[in-house]
Amino acid sequence: MVGVGTMGSQAAWRLAARGAEVVGYDRYAPGHDRSAAGGESRIFRSAHFEDSRYVPLLKHADALWEQLQQETGRELRRLTGCLLMGPTEHQQMATVLQSIAEHDLDHEVLDTDALAKRFPQYRIEDGDAAVLDRRAGFIRPELTIQTAARRAEQLGAVIHRYSTVREIVPVGDGVEIRTDSGSERFDTAVVTPGPWVNDLLPDLPWEVEVRRLVSAWYVPTDPDAWFGEERPAFIRTAPTHCYGLPSPDGISVKLGLSRALHRLAGDPNQLDRTVRPDELEVFSELIGRHMPDLHPDPTRLSVYMEGYTESSRPLVGPLPGAENVILLAGFSGHGFKLSPAFGDIAADLALDGASPQPIDFLSTVGRTEA
């Protein structure tokens, strides 16, 4: 297991649960804040904006989230709902309704008047509508990764912390993992490198663009509007795609932006964590236009990295010419909520060579574009 973060910790848990001998390597330690998993919260949702084919995978992830919580006794996810908002004619709103209809998801459709009355913290524009995804809420990412990794260790996994993998070399019918401390050989390697994918696999036949993301936390002037009986996460599709989550501490609201507003990260080992004032302008515009109750100056900022493919579909499956190297990379902002499902899929691929989950549209096998 190369990388014990968002995907690697889940894959380690699912492999160890099946009795596999699991050895993991991480350049830091599970739950660190240097890649895609920091920032206190992530959204879980059942409905999908981008592609309704993700919904069966979300259902599988949903069941595994419940299982991991039961096995560990930790609250990793809280279902508060997620409000999906945007102009009724926007394509992403149509895709959400399509995914709901195809998969019979628990939801509620709100027109402009109902949305304004029920969720007055949002400034509604003419033509806006919303879908309340009931089987949705927030996830605690750092705690989740630590918990999944510890559960894997309880089941027999060995995790080498602060151990950077330098090379992954297919050798005969096995794989050699080379670190600064030496080399070790395994039957199969599951590689979940996050934003270090291009460093570790420089000859990857697909492009994974590593982008720098900014999250910002704002304090509302009316806490009851954001932290009352209904406190769903939210996503707005247009005119500026953004998302937000009322913080678990009940004090602030976290905001994040879509891929189009990210900067390239550059060297993932030298991530620029300083947020310049001009980077906050788009947040200020969003608040002024859609969430005027939030104080315009943030109380907290966070920078992290994610890998994006051109198609926004992740790479899941064996490396070309190396069937015993299983890659999971380029999750393009869709990964965390699905991470238990992808961990289970990695276990399927590593142990059985195939998965019963519907991943043909994500598979690396025969794929010519990223």
Side-chain angles (χ1 to χ4, degrees), residues 294-306:
L294 297 182
H295 193 283
D297 299 311
T299 58
R300 176 183 167 194
L301 298 166
S302 178
V303 174
Y304 63 102
M305 298 178 285
E306 285 184 345

Side-chain angles (χ1 to χ4, degrees), residues 25-30 32 34 159-164 181:
Y25 299 86
D26 198 277
R27 67 176 54 233
Y28 298 109
H32 68 79
R34 293 168 177 83
I159 296 175
H160 297 295
R161 292 163 170 80
Y162 304 101
S163 182
T164 300
S181 301

Side-chain angles (χ1 to χ4, degrees), residues 254-271:
K254 173 185 173 182
L255 299 181
L257 305 171
S258 74
R259 172 181 183 170
L261 297 165
H262 303 163
R263 290 168 45 195
L264 293 177
D267 183 353
N269 298 299
Q270 298 182 27
L271 175 65

Side-chain angles (χ1 to χ4, degrees), residues 217-222 226 253 255 283-284 287-288 291-299:
W217 283 256
Y218 294 86
V219 174
T221 58
D222 181 9
W226 293 92
V253 177
L255 299 181
F283 289 98
S284 298
I287 288 170
M291 294 163 278
D293 176 57
L294 297 182
H295 193 283
D297 299 311
T299 58

Side-chain angles (χ1 to χ4, degrees), residues 26 37 52 61 70 98 109 126 142 145 169 181 183 192-193 204 240 255 279 281 288 292 303 307 331:
D26 198 277
S52 62
Q70 291 170 6
Q98 176 188 350
V109 176
D126 291 341
E142 300 94 338
I145 293 171
V169 183
S181 301
S183 300
T192 57
L204 198 67
T240 301
L255 299 181
E279 294 183 84
E281 290 176 3
V303 174
F331 284 88

Side-chain angles (χ1 to χ4, degrees), residues 324-339:
N324 51 358
V325 178
I326 307 302
L327 175 67
L328 284 81
F331 284 88
S332 306
H334 306 318
F336 211 98
K337 58 184 173 292
L338 286 156
S339 57

